[in-house]
Each structure stands twice: as structure tokens, then as C-alpha cells.
């Protein structure tokens, strides 16, 4: 039985990531797949690994992530937020480095709601003066 030593929840747009940190060799598993297989682009993979690189913990811990909702970019950012929170919980000395890079702040931008009687959030029907 492998024991979780830290847990963090990350959110971005409509994506929510639950992050479990365990002692290990630096393996990242997202929804049962290796992170390299789960995330489509190299940029998304780099986003997920950023907090580990900042705190120089790439090969210290194994990370298990369950992420639901949103698209791939939102899920990657949610993973970043969750990993950062878990690393802060694990070692409070990591907090200044993570905070300086803005990884502990939840990105609160959300999709604007569609307004009634219109085509979208900002899109209006064409105005006709005559």
C-alpha cells in the first residue's frame, strides 16, 4: 500500500484536478495514463511539470492526478495549480518560489454566460436603423 504524503486540489475554468503526491521517482500519472500520453501537446506537459522544476522536485515524488471537466489546456492548468498546492502542503519552504511564479493563484477567468435574446455572450443581432 502506497501512502499519499500530500493532497492538493487545482481548478481552472471548468476543470478540477485532484493531486496525490507519493514518495517515488518522478512519475506523473494522469487519469491512469502517463502524462506524456495523456496531454496532447508538449506545452501542456511543460505546464504540468513547471511547479516540480521550480521547487527542484522532479525526481523526488510520484504524482497521481485525477482530472475532470474542461478541455486539455484547462486540465493542464488545473494540474499545475493542484501540484503547487500539494507541494506547499508537503514543504512550506516551497511556497515563496511557487507564489513568485503565480502557481498558487487560481486563475478565476471563466466563460461569460450567454445573454437571453442574443446569439452569444457578446454577439448581438445585426442592428437595422431602417
Amino acid at each position: 500500500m502506497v501512502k499519499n504524503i500530500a493532497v492538493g486540489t487545482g481548478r481552472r475554468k471548468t476543470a478540477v484536478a485532484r493531486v496525490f503526491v507519493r514518495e517515488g521517482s518522478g512519475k506523473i500519472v494522469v487519469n491512469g495514463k502517463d502524462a506524456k500520453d495523456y496531454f496532447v501537446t508538449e506545452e501542456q506537459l511543460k505546464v504540468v511539470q513547471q511547479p516540480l522544476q521550480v521547487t527542484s522536485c522532479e525526481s523526488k515524488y510520484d504524482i497521481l492526478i485525477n482530472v475532470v471537466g474542461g478541455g486539455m489546456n484547462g486540465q493542464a492548468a488545473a494540474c499545475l495549480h493542484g501540484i503547487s498546492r500539494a507541494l506547499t502542503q508537503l514543504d512550506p519552504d516551497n511556497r515563496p518560489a511557487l507564489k513568485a511564479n503565480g502557481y498558487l493563484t487560481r486563475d478565476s477567468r471563466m466563460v461569460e454566460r450567454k445573454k437571453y435574446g442574443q446569439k452569444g455572450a457578446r454577439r448581438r443581432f445585426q442592428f437595422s436603423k431602417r
Side-chain angles (χ1 to χ4, degrees), residues 18-34:
R18 290 182 302 160
V19 178
F20 305 97
V21 179
R22 301 169 173 174
E23 292 290 341
S25 58
K27 198 167 69 168
I28 302 175
V29 178
V30 183
N31 289 353
K33 293 183 180 178
D34 189 55

Side-chain angles (χ1 to χ4, degrees), residues 22-28 57-63:
R22 301 169 173 174
E23 292 290 341
S25 58
K27 198 167 69 168
I28 302 175
C57 297
E58 291 106 323
S59 57
K60 284 185 187 175
Y61 309 112
D62 283 346
I63 296 174

Side-chain angles (χ1 to χ4, degrees), residues 5 8 10 18 57 66 68-69 75 80 83 99-100 109 112 127:
I5 54 174
R18 290 182 302 160
C57 297
N66 293 331
V68 291
Q75 287 189 354
L80 173 135
I83 291 169
K99 187 117 175 102
R109 294 177 293 174
E112 192 174 330
F127 175 73

